Amino acid sequence: MARKKIREYDSKRLLKEHLKKLAGIDLQILSAQVSESTDFSELTNSEPWLSSMKLVVKPDMLFGKRGKSGLVALNQDLAQVAQFVKERLGVEVEMGGCKAPITTFIVEPFVPHDQEFYLSIMSERLGCTISFSECGGIEIEENWDKVKTIFLPTDKSMTADACAPLIATLPLEVRGKIGDFIKGVFAVFQGGPPFISKVYAAGLDFTFLEMYPFTLVNGEPYPLDMRGELDDTAAFKNFKKVLSPTESFIHGLDEKVGDLGYALELGNYAYSGAPNEDEVLQYARVVIDESKLKASRMHLYVRRGGPNYQTGLAKMRALGVELGVPLEVYGPEAMTGICKQAIDGIMSAA
């Protein structure tokens, strides 16, 4: 299962639409997307609230920590938003070791608030992990010890009892409302509860959803900052190109696991994400051919973490020497950074 990030604008649009259908919750959120081609006069005609409310504007570029990076403007009028966009559109920023120009922004109403909650749902092999905290917002990482987490197996439903540990310490006057919201968001994440999914298939294929934070506006939940990730392999459910036997085999392996990013930027990305030993062996038999690796002047980058990773890295170094193929080895400190190194290596050799 390869995860593909989507823009905040799209995450909120999907949540708003399907939360009403699945849980009867009508989110009163408004948002507009701005890019180089946006005509603000036309945008205001289609979204008249833009000219009558104070606004928030920020890049919608699939990276986080925008507030800490000074890329969020609060309590702005439309003219100030337009100026903010003009000054930053096309400007290159660096996040997590990657550089890219800002091309897209999201504009929303400015919502004064004094409460911030955190919510995330992550799909795993045997179910979903749901996390909630009364201390949301940009400082959530510093307050992670206050986050409550439950694991919901695939065959279990998000009932009031299942949700109870997450909201047990909330004041009674908001506990029920936030509990219903969490259950509703989980229904959207799953595509609908069992009794609905047979007749209503949202088909959203969320693998990760996070609100940091959401707040309460007039007693109703209101997502302020949100990000979502979808199952990239779900794009193949309804339409497929004709794959070769080898491609079909590797794609079958890929559907079982997930990448941590850069998959779309690597021309020969195959799969990753905690495969078991048998899957690794089958994959290796397909793609590792010593003579072909040498003939194509292949340069290999290996990253490994987890138990006994030092032993595994030592064996990989020895294998590189044995095969006579350039092979760079990194430990858990590297994460997806090795993908960027591979891309840079390809570009410099081009």
Side-chain angles (χ1 to χ4, degrees):
M1 179 175 63
R3 292 174 175 169
K4 180 179 178 64
K5 294 181 180 180
I6 60 174
R7 298 189 190 277
E8 182 177 3
Y9 174 82
D10 294 313
S11 293
K12 289 180 174 177
R13 177 179 58 83
L14 291 171
L15 180 66
K16 178 180 174 69
E17 176 184 351
H18 295 282
L19 192 59
K20 186 173 184 178
K21 292 178 180 178
L22 291 171
I25 298 175
D26 190 6
L27 285 181
Q28 298 299 309
I29 56 175
L30 300 168
S31 60
Q33 193 173 67
V34 175
S35 64
E36 184 179 12
S37 61
T38 299
D39 182 307
F40 272 91
S41 296
E42 293 181 1
L43 183 63
T44 305
N45 289 335
S46 62
E47 305 288 351
W49 54 270
L50 287 168
S51 58
S52 62
M53 307 176 75
K54 288 294 186 178
L55 305 169
V56 175
V57 58
K58 54 192 174 183
D60 195 1
M61 295 292 298
L62 311 183
F63 60 75
K65 302 186 185 301
R66 293 167 293 185
K68 290 185 176 181
S69 302
L71 293 173
V72 178
L74 306 173
N75 201 18
Q76 307 284 289
D77 59 30
L78 186 59
Q80 290 173 311
V81 166
Q83 185 63 29
F84 181 92
V85 170
K86 180 180 179 181
E87 292 173 353
R88 290 160 181 80
L89 190 64
V91 173
E92 190 175 76
V93 295
E94 181 173 354
M95 291 287 175
C98 297
K99 293 182 179 180
I102 299 176
T103 62
T104 309
F105 297 81
I106 182 172
V107 183
E108 303 171 291
F110 173 65
V111 180
H113 59 279
D114 54 14
Q115 288 180 298
E116 293 188 337
F117 306 95
Y118 173 84
L119 175 65
S120 71
I121 306 174
M122 179 180 293
S123 177
E124 300 187 25
R125 290 183 184 274
L126 301 178
C128 292
T129 296
I130 303 98
S131 298
F132 171 78
S133 175
E134 300 167 47
C135 301
I138 62 174
E139 305 299 334
I140 184 62
E141 294 177 359
E142 290 81 354
N143 291 286
W144 198 253
D145 59 322
K146 299 177 182 178
V147 175
K148 303 178 184 69
T149 298
I150 63 171
F151 179 78
L152 199 63
T154 303
D155 60 346
K156 301 295 183 182
S157 300
M158 174 59 87
T159 62
D161 288 342
C163 185
L166 297 174
I167 59 175
T169 58
L170 288 173
L172 284 175
E173 59 267 24
V174 300
R175 191 181 303 171
K177 182 68 68 173
I178 291 180
D180 289 342
F181 180 64
I182 293 174
K183 289 185 289 183
V185 173
F186 186 76
V188 174
F189 186 88
Q190 283 195 312
F195 66 90
I196 289 181
S197 59
K198 292 182 180 179
V199 294
Y200 173 82
L204 302 182
D205 300 294
F206 273 109
T207 59
F208 181 73
L209 188 152
E210 183 178 50
M211 299 178 198
Y212 59 107
F214 74 89
T215 190
L216 296 176
V217 176
N218 298 322
E220 299 294 330
Y222 191 104
L224 295 172
D225 204 289
M226 179 177 170
R227 69 187 183 104
E229 298 179 9
L230 306 182
D231 178 2
D232 195 26
T233 62
F236 293 86
K237 285 182 177 179
N238 299 316
F239 178 81
K240 295 184 178 181
K241 71 169 185 174
V242 178
L243 303 178
S244 70
T246 300
E247 288 176 320
S248 297
F249 180 76
I250 294 300
H251 184 69
L253 293 176
D254 184 29
E255 289 182 331
K256 302 176 184 177
V257 292
D259 75 277
L260 291 175
Y262 293 100
L264 297 179
E265 298 184 42
L266 293 177
N268 61 344
Y269 174 82
Y271 87 124
S272 62
N276 60 39
E277 291 184 6
D278 182 63
E279 290 168 342
V280 172
L281 178 60
Q282 294 180 61
Y283 175 69
R285 284 173 173 167
V286 173
V287 300
I288 297 180
D289 183 306
E290 182 179 345
S291 60
K292 291 181 179 179
L293 288 175
K294 288 183 177 179
S296 60
R297 296 183 297 170
M298 189 70 69
H299 194 122
L300 304 181
Y301 296 81
V302 177
R303 183 265 175 192
R304 177 184 169 87
N308 302 316
Y309 78 89
Q310 296 97 332
T311 302
L313 295 180
K315 290 183 177 181
M316 290 304 300
R317 290 191 187 95
L319 178 63
V321 174
E322 178 184 337
L323 296 178
V325 175
L327 190 151
E328 296 187 31
V329 175
Y330 299 88
E333 74 284 350
M335 291 300 288
T336 55
I338 66 166
C339 297
K340 182 178 184 300
Q341 289 181 247
I343 295 168
D344 291 343
I346 293 170
M347 298 303 294
S348 63

